[in-house]
Amino acid sequence: MALGDLMASRFSSQSPVAFVSNHYDHYPSSHEDDAIDVARRDDNNNSNNNRDRDSDTASTSNYGGGNATESTTATTTTSTAYLPQTVVLCELRHEAFEASVPTGPSDSGLVSKWRPKDRMKTGYVALVLCLNISVDPPDVIKISPCARMECWTDPLSMAPQKALETIGKNLSIQYERWQPKARYKVQLDPTVDEVKKLCNTCRKYAKSERVLFHYNGHGVPKPTTNGEIWLFNKSYTQYIPLPVSDLDSWLRTPSIYVFDCSAAGMIVNAFLELHDWNASGSAGSTRDCILLAACEAHETLPQSDEFPADVFTSCLTTPIKMALKWFYRRSLLCDSLDYSLIDKIPGRQNDRKTLLGELNWIFTAVTDTIAWNVLPRDLFQKLFRQDLLVASLFRNFLLAERIMRSANCSPISHPMLPPTHQHHMWDAWDMAAEICLSQLPSLVEDPNAEFQPSPFFTEQLTAFEVWLDHGSEHKKPPEQLPIVLQVLLSQCHRFRALVLLGRFLDMGRWAVDLALSVGIFPYVLKLLQTTTPELRQILVFIWTKILALDKSCQVDLVKDGGHTYFIRFLDSLEAYPEQRAMAAFVLAVIVDGHRRGQEACIKAGLIHVCLKHLQGSVPNDTQTEPLFLQWLCLCLGKLWEDFTEAQILGLQADSPAIYAPLLLEPQPEVRASAAFALANLLDVGGDVCRDGATGDDECDDDEKIRAEISIIRSLLSAVSDGSPLVRAEVAVALARFAFGHKQHLKSIAASYWKPQSNSLLNSLPSLAHIKATGSGHANPNQYVPHASIVSSQFGPLTRVGSDSPSVVRDGRASTSSPTTAGIMHGSPLSDDSSLHSDSGILNDIVSNGEILHSRPKPLDNALYSQCVLAMCTLAKDPSPRIASLGRRVLSIIGIEQVVTKSVNSTGSSGPKTSSPSHIPLTFRTPPVSPPRSSYLTGMRRVCSLEFRPHLMNSPDSGLADPLLASVGPSGGTERSLLPQSTIYNWSCGHFSKPLLTTPDDTEEILVRREEREKFALEHIAMCQHSSVSNLNNRIASWDTKFETGTKTALLQPFSPIVVAADENERIRLMTLYDVMISKVGKLAYIVQYANRNYFSVAVASCLSSSLVLVWNYEEATLLNGFDNHDFPDRGVSKLCLVNELDDSLLLVASSDGNIRIWKDYTVKGKQKLVTAFSSIQGHKPGVRSLNAVVDWQQQSGYLYASGEISSIMLWDLDKEQLIHSIPSSSDCSVSAMSASQVHGGQFTAGFVDGSVKLYDVRTPEIPDYSVTYITLRSLLFNCNLRLVCATRPHTENVEKVVGIGFHPGLDPGKIVSASQAGDMKFLDMRNYRDPYLTIKAHRGSLTALAVHRHAPIIASGSAKQIIKLFSLNGEPLGSIRYHLTIMAQKIGPVSCLTFHPYQVLLAAGATDALFSIYADDNTQAR
């Protein structure tokens, strides 16, 4: 059973398949959209599904496969078309990326508890025997027959002196079995002076090691009530007492005492009283004093001849012999087995292949298990893991308690242990002992007889496996865990034990902590020295789990050379890629902040091994397992981190060229990890050298400079990546670059607003060039804004040269504000020294009084300017975290954002804006140097030449802090203030979670999904066969209080939730008491209808405060309100539900093209930003606003975005990547867009000039000039067009298309579009030359169009206060003109329309702020 086999069977369940009829198909449909089974997805197989999805061709579609007038029978299709299986944005990186950062492996805190604080060794053993053989003490009355054996020797069988010496020698030998390296001193019937000398000698030579003091007082009286033990005078005529205080002062600590005498509890009590342990616990000087006593203070040792006289000592020193002799008398074997054979057990105690070794092995496992299950963890660590001899004595003490309690004697200890004599594991020991004893006669008779091992360990492993099948963190821990560790010592059981141990560790961090506390670490560390190939995979898995919890193990691994084991495994081609990723993770932890680990791994060739696999020498390996690529990148990134020698080796191996293609990988984690690795190749410590080096240093730096140029060009291509995880790493990398080149970047930034005719801003198009070709590995599908000046992200930040002092920005005039200038005048924020004259740039390159411009700039100005613009892009990022990082990067080069209030919102004088909700970003500058035509809008340059710690820790207010007058802290401190990468810690979280099993909530998720699919299929069928007459039955209405009315709306399918949105992203708190109803009691009816049919409405909106509100309309309560973002610009353009059949996410698209997606948006205060990115990359020159048009397609996982650009951007939300930029083939911009909800990859767009185009993105692109001349027949054979067909149906009155949508059903070519002039065109794009039906729906001013996803109904709305309903055949179904109130007030001008996805319900928003929901007259009857 290999680890790969365990992991291969993790996910096997599939979603149910249902059948839905479709009466709109007039031809057999052969198109099958791809479905990703959500139950089978894990963190790293997304790329496979996406590749399959992208590789679909138009041959699977049926654009020309039938006649529109042909009558055929209805066909059936799988539910895949209607119920998409694709689920996106649910990976580890989406778990509150903006709110928190998962920590990586820890090296302190809770995880350190498993590691023994001080390893201890017992170096000296003092054995004191007071037997006085042949003379009984006066306070003891012996029975007859009486126990006489001492150390298994009868003292009466020889002369007293010889017997005494023999017993002393035997006792020393018995102890040496447990600690052979200790030094032993024996005192036989000693005096007080002899004991004192013995104790002082032991402590002197033991130094800080533990001393064991063993006292046998069988020949002297019982200890006194004061705890004094008895010794002899020199002539043996008197008993001399020895106070325990004297004994304690001689031996000191650490020490362990064994008292084998009657009433030994008296001594323990005296020690406790001496140190006051009962009241205040152990003090620092006496903490390591351990006591073992044979009986309580009132008890006498057993005298039965069944036991030896020193039964307590025999249990402690010869446990197997004592246990078997005691068990023999209580076993059925006493009748068939010779008692004397027990003394002849063959084998050695440390040889597990012999009978004695097997018994000792089982005994150790049983006693360890008992102790681990009954003792507190810290006490178990102290007694059973700190000192080998102490651990052995306490294991044997558990046996002594069991045996002596049967004779009504209770051994005691300090620390005190709970009773264990009745623990059920003793039954397992008895059974193992019986099985072994049954073989004893044959083994004694025939020394060559084969010994049959006990089934004890096999059975215990089975019990552990049963626990793994049913146990959890919330149940009692598995009691067999110590046994599993013992089994690791056996080669025959080792593999099974490791696999089960791996399964246990996979259950979570709590399981790893338990295993470490029981003592797994030295076992698995030792196993790295084995060469057994079948153990490699599971050992790598186990070490992955250990290091995911505790980073401190890196020191032990390097010390024992364990890193070479993982490097060899990493380079092995036999292992699965996911397992090799684990090896890369282990190596990444080894080198993480550990210089010895870095040096050892470099010496072992780790750089060469990683780069070899990154280059794709085994393409089938790396392409199918992105996790492997990810951790190869992270491993090298950690190896290079702050280690110049490793960075040089990486550059010499041409690492930048190898990493550049990885920035285009489909998985965001891989892209982010590649950016992390490239960032760590940048040397942040060479600013002085780079800016001021001369002579030979310049030659030495040439190679590094070329490498830096390559790295930066590669990173610039990822500035607009769709994943915040990637952009965060790019920001960190740019921060490192800015720190190393800050002087040159400051001068470049200053030149943007200096009066230069050849402004460096004119080099902006080269940024696009770098994005396409800089790395040498450009993605052919990556959009490059060739015709644009800068991307939309740069638009609000940059100004191009102009003769006018007031520069147009976003369609609004901005001028220099006198108030702003006044704020700057005379303040520490001004930078007069660098802007008074043309020598300002020169002054910028002065630090500590030294001029650092003695050499030319190592990088060209164009690259520097592109870096500045990239930093500005990040500072305006829609993700708050990325924007914060971007501002921190800009602060390094002396640029800070300045936020000013709008005039309308504050009433103060300042820059005027056309929108009252717009918050401008204003440029500040000293009055002596007024703003010129070329500068970065919303940014200003500051005079700080050093990094300022208070800025780094300040809230992200965007306001500039007062600058320090003096030079800042040292370079080392500055470097510590650089933004830190998060990808490593995020990636470590993957290995902390279970890898072999599905999450606990998987079944619950599948059940909920099944219920929703069932509900959806039932209502889809109802919608398909519905006969709607009119929708004039208004069942609910809300006053949204919007000044500009509702801009867009969303009907949520499965929960009764209400939200509202206007053009200015304005939200106001509103109550739902003014729900307007047409009949008395209708509200109660609506509630019942909602409960019965899962009816729900959701309206999301954002405003100047960018607040999103969510209501439960059923209970008329506000569920949640939160800010969408801090700087709303031009309103919300679209609201979509992502993953609507699962845990839905709210996609909010702003008119500037920024996309923000929220989870838990219905729970008050718990909303989380899943991801955010800018969907528009570049815009046409001269445009004032983007007017983004966005639609989401769950079937394919694609987001389509366009606007005032010449292309349509296609984003894969699973990859979080721009995968296509489709030329729109039109000089006009897109004004309406609709994605098919049943055909993945297919969408249609309407344009400002009235044209309509149908696209299929699953096909490769060819030049667009052949599109307009294509014929129906050639379309059947030429299926390699993204633009399937185009037409211009709205020619009578050339107005823009305001609404467009696909017909319900599976027909891929039928579309309805509506223009602003009021005409609706019904198109069959297979015969696209002319529409087959035209309706003059309105006399101009058509503002909204909605096509039901499944029902044969279309709705159109007009600014002339009317909503009209039509069938798919163009037949009028009715209209809505008036509110159903007593006054019969007309509805307001319609601003938006939307249908419920699975019910015939229409939601309408108007400019009068009223939002209504309409149903047909038969709703109540249903």
Side-chain angles (χ1 to χ4, degrees):
M1 182 181 186
L3 179 64
D5 300 329
L6 281 173
M7 308 190 73
S9 60
R10 283 178 293 175
F11 307 107
S12 59
S13 58
Q14 296 186 355
S15 296
V17 177
F19 294 91
V20 184
S21 66
N22 181 6
H23 59 281
Y24 301 115
D25 288 339
H26 296 288
Y27 60 92
S29 174
S30 63
H31 176 81
E32 271 194 35
D33 298 290
D34 293 292
I36 303 176
D37 192 337
V38 65
R40 299 186 59 184
R41 294 183 52 191
D42 64 357
D43 288 324
N44 300 288
N45 65 358
N46 300 333
S47 61
N48 302 333
N49 298 326
N50 294 334
R51 289 194 187 94
D52 296 340
R53 181 176 63 206
D54 295 339
S55 64
D56 290 347
T57 62
S59 61
T60 61
S61 300
N62 201 354
Y63 296 113
N67 192 313
T69 61
E70 179 182 354
S71 177
T72 62
T73 59
T75 62
T76 61
T77 181
T78 64
S79 64
T80 301
Y82 291 113
L83 305 178
Q85 305 299 305
T86 306
V87 180
V88 298
L89 304 178
C90 57
E91 310 298 336
L92 177 67
R93 64 181 181 273
H94 302 121
E95 295 296 326
F97 170 78
E98 298 293 338
S100 61
V101 181
T103 57
S106 175
D107 54 2
S108 62
L110 177 66
V111 295
S112 63
K113 291 184 178 180
W114 66 266
R115 215 182 261 275
K117 295 181 180 179
D118 321 318
R119 283 285 181 185
M120 188 105 25
K121 184 177 72 170
T122 301
Y124 260 78
V125 178
L127 305 177
V128 177
L129 283 73
C130 298
L131 297 180
N132 199 12
I133 298 174
S134 73
V135 178
D136 293 333
D139 60 347
V140 175
I141 301 176
K142 293 187 177 181
I143 64 173
S144 181
C146 181
R148 295 185 304 179
M149 303 289 285
E150 298 280 354
C151 293
W152 305 108
T153 301
D154 186 353
L156 301 181
S157 63
M158 58 189 76
Q161 186 58 32
K162 184 177 180 181
L164 184 61
E165 294 173 357
T166 303
I167 293 171
K169 183 178 179 181
N170 288 347
L171 180 61
S172 178
I173 293 173
Q174 289 172 189
Y175 265 110
E176 286 178 4
R177 293 174 182 169
W178 306 107
Q179 179 58 291
K181 295 183 179 180
R183 299 185 64 178
Y184 293 86
K185 295 291 184 178
V186 182
Q187 285 290 346
L188 307 176
D189 293 343
T191 64
V192 172
D193 291 338
E194 290 172 339
V195 170
K196 179 180 179 180
K197 182 179 178 181
L198 171 66
C199 292
N200 289 331
T201 301
C202 289
R203 175 50 59 197
K204 177 182 177 180
Y205 291 104
K207 297 181 181 179
S208 61
E209 294 179 348
R210 179 173 275 121
V211 174
L212 186 147
F213 182 85
H214 180 101
Y215 173 75
N216 184 325
H218 296 172
V220 294
K222 298 176 183 179
T224 67
T225 55
N226 294 328
E228 298 166 315
I229 60 175
W230 295 99
L231 301 175
F232 301 96
N233 62 0
K234 292 185 178 180
S235 59
Y236 295 96
T237 58
Q238 290 181 340
Y239 299 111
I240 307 298
L242 173 63
V244 294
S245 57
D246 291 349
L247 186 63
D248 178 66
S249 66
W250 299 335
L251 281 178
R252 298 189 295 277
T253 59
S255 56
I256 178 172
Y257 296 88
V258 178
F259 298 107
D260 188 355
C261 60
S262 295
M266 291 285 191
I267 309 174
V268 176
N269 294 337
F271 264 99
L272 296 178
E273 185 176 346
L274 175 66
H275 299 291
D276 199 21
W277 282 337
N278 283 330
S280 60
S282 54
S285 61
T286 58
R287 184 177 304 159
D288 293 323
C289 186
I290 299 173
L291 306 174
L292 297 176
C295 59
E296 294 277 9
H298 61 279
E299 293 177 342
T300 304
L301 293 178
Q303 295 189 20
S304 171
D305 63 347
E306 175 188 350
F307 304 103
D310 63 344
V311 58
F312 185 63
T313 300
S314 298
C315 288
L316 294 182
T317 57
T318 56
I320 303 302
K321 187 174 183 179
M322 187 68 230
L324 293 180
K325 287 181 175 289
W326 181 80
F327 172 74
Y328 172 84
R329 298 182 183 275
R330 289 156 179 79
S331 169
L332 297 177
L333 294 175
C334 63
D335 298 330
S336 58
L337 182 67
D338 185 0
Y339 180 77
S340 62
L341 290 179
I342 297 178
D343 294 326
K344 302 177 182 179
I345 297 178
R348 297 189 307 275
Q349 195 165 300
N350 57 357
D351 186 357
R352 290 184 297 274
K353 295 181 180 180
T354 63
L355 178 56
L356 183 58
E358 173 96 352
L359 285 169
N360 185 65
W361 186 25
I362 295 174
F363 179 80
T364 302
V366 168
T367 50
D368 253 14
T369 301
I370 294 174
W372 189 74
N373 281 281
V374 302
L375 297 183
R377 294 286 178 264
D378 55 346
L379 186 58
F380 176 82
Q381 289 288 334
K382 177 181 179 181
L383 302 182
F384 287 82
R385 293 294 181 263
Q386 193 180 59
D387 186 319
L388 291 177
L389 181 57
V390 172
S392 299
L393 289 178
F394 268 92
R395 289 191 193 100
N396 303 341
F397 178 81
L398 300 182
L399 174 69
E401 184 193 15
R402 186 191 190 204
I403 292 177
M404 297 183 70
R405 276 184 179 268
S406 67
N408 300 317
C409 192
S410 303
I412 58 174
S413 67
H414 181 84
M416 185 180 297
L417 304 185
T420 60
H421 61 286
Q422 292 182 332
H423 197 280
H424 64 87
M425 282 303 297
W426 286 121
D427 297 332
W429 160 253
D430 290 342
M431 182 177 178
E434 187 171 32
I435 293 175
C436 291
L437 285 177
S438 64
Q439 303 182 55
L440 186 56
S442 59
L443 293 175
V444 172
E445 181 179 351
D446 183 8
N448 297 323
E450 185 177 357
F451 166 65
Q452 297 296 325
S454 168
F456 171 81
F457 290 106
T458 302
E459 293 168 353
Q460 293 299 318
L461 286 179
T462 302
F464 184 51
E465 190 169 6
V466 171
W467 187 95
L468 291 175
D469 293 336
H470 304 284
S472 69
E473 179 181 5
H474 307 293
K475 297 183 179 180
K476 183 181 178 182
E479 62 182 22
Q480 297 84 11
L481 201 54
I483 298 177
V484 175
L485 265 63
Q486 290 293 325
V487 173
L488 295 180
L489 300 172
S490 170
Q491 192 170 356
C492 60
H493 299 296
R494 184 175 294 158
F495 179 73
R496 184 188 178 195
L498 286 173
V499 170
L500 295 179
L501 181 61
R503 287 181 57 189
F504 177 70
L505 298 180
D506 191 57
M507 298 182 77
R509 298 171 69 92
W510 64 272
V512 181
D513 188 54
L514 273 181
L516 289 173
S517 69
V518 83
I520 182 183
F521 186 77
Y523 290 77
V524 293
L525 183 63
K526 190 72 173 179
L527 285 175
L528 292 180
Q529 300 177 8
T530 65
T531 57
T532 311
E534 60 266 18
L535 298 182
R536 294 189 307 165
Q537 297 177 7
I538 186 61
L539 276 176
V540 170
F541 180 82
I542 289 173
W543 272 104
T544 298
K545 287 298 179 178
I546 293 175
L547 290 174
L549 173 74
D550 192 352
K551 170 186 171 182
S552 67
C553 300
Q554 60 183 182
V555 178
D556 304 86
L557 282 171
V558 175
K559 183 179 179 181
D560 284 23
H563 61 284
T564 58
Y565 185 91
F566 297 101
I567 293 177
R568 289 194 301 268
F569 186 87
L570 181 66
D571 201 24
S572 170
L573 301 182
E574 292 82 13
Y576 292 102
E578 187 173 4
Q579 295 162 351
R580 294 163 67 194
M582 296 177 189
F585 163 76
V586 171
L587 290 166
V589 177
I590 288 176
V591 300
D592 180 18
H594 186 214
R595 182 52 54 88
R596 289 187 178 180
Q598 291 173 316
E599 294 171 349
C601 287
I602 286 179
K603 189 175 181 180
L606 179 59
I607 294 179
H608 171 73
V609 171
C610 291
L611 291 179
K612 178 178 69 174
H613 294 293
L614 284 173
Q615 282 179 298
S617 57
V618 252
N620 293 333
D621 235 5
T622 56
Q623 290 179 7
T624 56
E625 189 49 71
L627 186 68
F628 184 45
L629 286 177
Q630 175 186 349
W631 277 103
L632 285 174
C633 295
L634 292 174
C635 181
L636 282 184
K638 280 294 178 182
L639 181 63
W640 293 329
E641 192 173 47
D642 300 326
F643 191 18
T644 305
E645 179 185 346
Q647 293 170 354
I648 294 175
L649 292 175
L651 294 177
Q652 292 175 349
D654 200 19
S655 299
I658 297 173
Y659 272 96
L662 298 176
L663 294 173
L664 304 176
E665 280 292 309
Q667 296 75 25
E669 293 88 351
V670 176
R671 303 197 300 271
S673 302
F676 169 77
L678 289 173
N680 282 315
L681 279 174
L682 295 173
D683 181 14
V684 300
D687 186 44
V688 175
C689 176
R690 190 177 289 106
D691 291 334
T694 57
D696 295 337
D697 293 338
E698 183 174 351
C699 299
D700 296 337
D701 282 348
D702 286 345
E703 183 179 349
K704 182 180 290 187
I705 291 171
R706 286 193 296 269
E708 283 191 344
I709 293 175
S710 174
I711 292 171
I712 291 302
R713 285 179 173 170
S714 298
L715 292 172
L716 287 177
S717 67
V719 168
S720 299
D721 193 277
S723 172
L725 200 65
V726 180
R727 300 198 303 275
E729 296 307 314
V730 174
V732 172
L734 288 178
R736 294 173 63 91
F737 176 76
F739 187 84
H741 294 256
K742 56 186 174 184
Q743 304 298 346
H744 299 308
L745 287 168
K746 284 179 182 179
S747 63
I748 292 295
S751 69
Y752 281 145
W753 51 79
K754 288 190 73 68
Q756 301 177 24
S757 59
N758 57 341
S759 173
L760 290 173
L761 206 58
N762 296 330
S763 64
L764 293 180
S766 60
L767 179 62
H769 176 72
I770 282 187
K771 290 183 69 174
T773 62
S775 65
H777 301 275
N779 185 349
N781 295 326
Q782 184 78 23
Y783 173 68
V784 180
H786 295 287
S788 65
I789 298 176
V790 287
S791 73
S792 61
Q793 292 297 306
F794 300 147
L797 297 174
T798 58
R799 297 187 182 184
V800 186
S802 171
D803 295 333
S804 173
S806 70
V807 183
V808 175
R809 183 194 63 193
D810 300 333
R812 295 183 291 275
S814 289
T815 61
S816 177
S817 170
T819 303
T820 304
I823 294 174
M824 290 295 301
H825 182 61
S827 74
L829 296 176
S830 61
D831 194 6
D832 298 348
S833 62
S834 61
L835 292 177
H836 273 299
S837 65
D838 292 338
S839 62
I841 297 179
L842 179 63
N843 295 334
D844 252 349
I845 314 179
V846 176
S847 177
N848 297 327
E850 298 181 9
I851 298 179
L852 303 176
H853 63 288
S854 57
R855 59 166 295 180
K857 296 181 180 180
L859 307 185
D860 58 80
N861 288 343
L863 186 59
Y864 279 131
S865 66
Q866 289 147 8
C867 289
V868 173
L869 291 174
M871 297 171 191
C872 296
T873 301
L874 295 170
K876 298 284 286 184
D877 197 274
S879 166
R881 172 176 288 184
I882 308 304
S884 174
L885 286 173
R887 291 193 293 269
R888 292 177 65 178
V889 176
L890 284 174
S891 70
I892 299 175
I893 62 172
I895 299 178
E896 291 183 2
Q897 279 188 315
V898 181
V899 180
T900 60
K901 297 287 186 180
S902 160
V903 175
N904 291 352
S905 61
T906 63
S908 62
S909 61
K912 295 182 179 180
T913 61
S914 60
S915 171
S917 64
H918 181 70
I919 300 179
L921 295 176
T922 311
F923 171 71
R924 293 185 182 180
T925 185
V928 297
S929 181
R932 303 300 177 128
S933 57
S934 297
Y935 62 94
L936 298 176
T937 306
M939 302 292 173
R940 68 172 176 82
R941 186 168 164 276
V942 297
C943 68
S944 68
L945 297 181
E946 304 297 337
F947 225 23
R948 289 170 293 134
H950 61 278
L951 176 65
M952 295 303 98
N953 299 324
S954 63
D956 297 326
S957 61
L959 299 174
D961 293 88
L963 306 184
L964 302 178
S966 61
V967 176
S970 64
T973 305
E974 290 179 345
R975 286 186 56 177
S976 67
L977 296 174
L978 286 172
Q980 297 301 311
S981 168
T982 60
I983 180 61
Y984 174 74
N985 288 338
W986 271 97
S987 302
C988 289
H990 170 78
F991 294 111
S992 298
K993 65 179 184 177
L995 301 176
L996 304 178
T997 58
T998 56
D1000 296 336
D1001 58 350
T1002 301
E1003 185 176 351
E1004 179 183 345
I1005 293 174
L1006 293 177
V1007 170
R1008 182 173 65 247
R1009 167 88 185 201
E1010 224 173 286
E1011 291 176 352
R1012 292 185 173 183
E1013 286 184 351
K1014 181 180 179 182
F1015 167 82
L1017 292 176
E1018 291 175 354
H1019 285 74
I1020 288 173
M1022 292 171 60
C1023 289
Q1024 290 175 341
H1025 298 89
S1026 62
S1027 55
V1028 181
S1029 58
N1030 195 5
L1031 294 180
N1032 55 9
N1033 181 12
R1034 189 178 66 174
I1035 60 175
S1037 181
W1038 295 269
D1039 184 0
T1040 62
K1041 309 290 182 162
F1042 290 150
E1043 296 177 0
T1044 58
T1046 306
K1047 175 70 180 294
T1048 183
L1050 175 69
L1051 302 185
Q1052 190 171 347
F1054 301 110
S1055 54
I1057 295 175
V1058 182
V1059 189
D1062 74 348
E1063 192 174 34
N1064 295 323
E1065 300 194 48
R1066 182 177 298 276
I1067 289 272
R1068 290 187 177 178
L1069 296 177
M1070 54 173 279
T1071 59
L1072 298 183
Y1073 67 88
D1074 52 350
V1075 174
M1076 308 171 88
I1077 55 176
S1078 59
K1079 297 179 182 179
V1080 177
K1082 178 63 70 68
L1083 182 59
Y1085 158 71
I1086 297 172
V1087 174
Q1088 294 172 2
Y1089 180 83
N1091 289 336
R1092 185 170 64 252
N1093 297 283
Y1094 304 93
F1095 166 69
S1096 66
V1097 180
V1099 186
S1101 60
C1102 313
L1103 69 182
S1104 58
S1105 62
S1106 195
L1107 187 68
V1108 175
L1109 296 184
V1110 184
W1111 295 274
N1112 182 318
Y1113 74 89
E1114 181 180 300
E1115 301 176 359
T1117 58
L1118 178 64
L1119 294 181
N1120 194 19
F1122 58 92
D1123 290 330
N1124 183 40
H1125 58 101
D1126 295 331
F1127 304 104
D1129 196 0
R1130 283 172 292 277
V1132 172
S1133 64
K1134 185 75 172 182
L1135 296 170
C1136 299
L1137 275 186
V1138 179
N1139 307 335
E1140 70 175 27
L1141 289 173
D1142 300 274
D1143 290 331
S1144 62
L1145 309 173
L1146 180 63
L1147 185 151
V1148 183
S1150 300
S1151 295
D1152 60 358
N1154 285 340
I1155 305 295
R1156 293 173 180 85
I1157 301 178
W1158 299 88
K1159 68 180 294 188
D1160 300 332
Y1161 55 93
T1162 62
V1163 184
K1164 187 173 183 179
K1166 300 296 184 181
Q1167 71 282 345
K1168 298 174 184 176
L1169 183 60
V1170 173
T1171 188
F1173 63 96
S1174 176
S1175 63
I1176 305 298
Q1177 303 286 309
H1179 58 82
K1180 296 179 180 178
V1183 299
R1184 295 187 176 184
S1185 60
L1186 290 176
N1187 295 325
V1189 181
V1190 173
D1191 202 11
W1192 159 249
Q1193 189 176 62
Q1194 186 74 47
Q1195 188 70 259
S1196 61
Y1198 291 156
L1199 179 76
Y1200 306 95
S1202 189
E1204 297 293 340
I1205 58 176
S1206 57
S1207 299
I1208 299 173
M1209 323 304 296
L1210 192 157
W1211 293 85
D1212 188 323
L1213 288 196
D1214 196 32
K1215 302 174 182 176
E1216 298 185 62
Q1217 189 176 38
L1218 179 66
I1219 59 173
H1220 293 300
S1221 174
I1222 306 171
S1224 59
S1225 306
S1226 174
D1227 295 332
C1228 299
S1229 59
V1230 175
S1231 58
M1233 188 184 301
S1234 177
S1236 172
Q1237 296 304 317
V1238 294
H1239 296 296
Q1242 182 181 346
F1243 70 98
T1244 182
F1247 291 78
V1248 173
D1249 63 353
S1251 60
V1252 174
K1253 298 182 180 181
L1254 177 66
Y1255 298 87
D1256 194 323
V1257 302
R1258 298 166 298 176
T1259 58
E1261 186 177 9
I1262 68 168
D1264 293 329
Y1265 59 79
S1266 62
V1267 172
T1268 54
Y1269 303 104
I1270 195 169
T1271 63
L1272 176 62
R1273 181 174 297 277
S1274 65
L1275 177 62
L1276 298 176
F1277 300 97
N1278 192 6
C1279 296
N1280 58 349
L1281 300 177
R1282 289 198 180 105
L1283 175 59
V1284 176
C1285 40
T1287 184
R1288 190 176 180 184
H1290 303 282
T1291 55
E1292 299 173 1
N1293 298 308
V1294 180
E1295 295 281 358
K1296 69 176 182 179
V1297 177
V1298 296
I1300 194 168
F1302 285 88
H1303 280 213
L1306 297 178
D1307 193 326
K1310 287 191 175 182
I1311 296 170
V1312 57
S1313 69
S1315 73
Q1316 196 171 10
D1319 57 326
M1320 294 173 54
K1321 303 289 185 178
F1322 292 76
L1323 306 169
D1324 186 344
M1325 299 302 281
R1326 296 167 299 177
N1327 300 300
Y1328 62 89
R1329 294 182 182 277
D1330 299 300
Y1332 66 85
L1333 180 62
T1334 299
I1335 299 175
K1336 189 63 177 178
H1338 302 270
R1339 296 182 180 179
S1341 302
L1342 190 147
T1343 56
L1345 176 74
V1347 182
H1348 199 287
R1349 193 186 296 181
H1350 304 290
I1353 184 172
I1354 301 171
S1356 63
S1358 169
K1360 297 180 179 179
Q1361 299 171 283
I1362 186 173
I1363 299 173
K1364 293 186 177 181
L1365 304 170
F1366 301 92
S1367 69
L1368 293 181
N1369 297 324
E1371 299 173 355
L1373 299 180
S1375 62
I1376 303 171
R1377 292 175 179 269
Y1378 303 97
H1379 295 303
L1380 298 180
T1381 62
I1382 298 177
M1383 301 298 295
Q1385 181 184 358
K1386 290 190 68 174
I1387 65 174
V1390 179
S1391 57
C1392 67
L1393 295 171
T1394 185
F1395 280 105
H1396 190 282
Y1398 302 122
Q1399 298 187 48
V1400 185
L1401 297 168
L1402 175 66
T1407 58
D1408 62 359
L1410 201 62
F1411 185 80
S1412 304
I1413 302 171
Y1414 299 92
D1416 66 317
D1417 293 329
N1418 299 324
T1419 299
Q1420 188 168 5
R1422 290 204 301 268

